[in-house]
Amino acid sequence: MTVSDIYEKLYSRAYYDKTENNKFRFLNNSLFIDRRSIVPIVIHMLDGIFYIQAFKQIANESLFRLEINEDDIKIYSALDDHPLWTLE
């Protein structure tokens, strides 16, 4: 999977967090959260791991690790192994 593939997958539709029911939508290098927050982002890969770099802090952080599989998308803190959000 490439960075381009990641953008294509994220831009394909809106996602909802499994626990908090927040709506996440990715468009034009921005992340929209529940229409309340628009955060510019960039996605990059380092050593085979995908990261989202936010230009504004979200949940007191600006760098997130991204895991995508067939069923869901998990967004982790770059410092922790527990997902902050699980999107479906």
Side-chain angles (χ1 to χ4, degrees):
M1 191 170 260
T2 67
V3 171
S4 180
D5 295 336
I6 297 291
Y7 277 112
E8 188 175 315
K9 170 98 173 153
L10 293 177
Y11 290 178
S12 67
R13 63 184 187 90
Y15 294 91
Y16 291 89
D17 179 42
K18 284 185 176 181
T19 58
E20 298 177 17
N21 292 325
N22 292 326
K23 181 179 179 181
F24 288 74
R25 193 169 54 103
F26 298 84
L27 183 63
N28 298 330
N29 291 337
S30 294
L31 168 61
F32 296 82
I33 303 172
D34 287 337
R35 296 184 183 176
R36 296 178 294 193
S37 179
I38 301 171
V39 180
I41 62 165
V42 65
I43 298 171
H44 52 92
M45 184 174 67
L46 180 62
D47 296 330
I49 300 171
F50 292 100
Y51 292 93
I52 294 177
Q53 175 88 43
F55 294 104
K56 294 180 186 177
Q57 285 194 339
I58 306 168
N60 296 321
E61 299 189 39
S62 60
L63 184 63
F64 304 92
R65 185 169 47 94
L66 183 66
E67 285 186 8
I68 295 181
N69 63 39
E70 295 290 326
D71 299 324
D72 55 29
I73 297 169
K74 292 184 181 178
I75 301 174
Y76 295 83
S77 163
L79 306 172
D80 197 350
D81 282 338
H82 299 289
L84 296 171
W85 301 285
T86 301
L87 309 181
E88 57 180 5

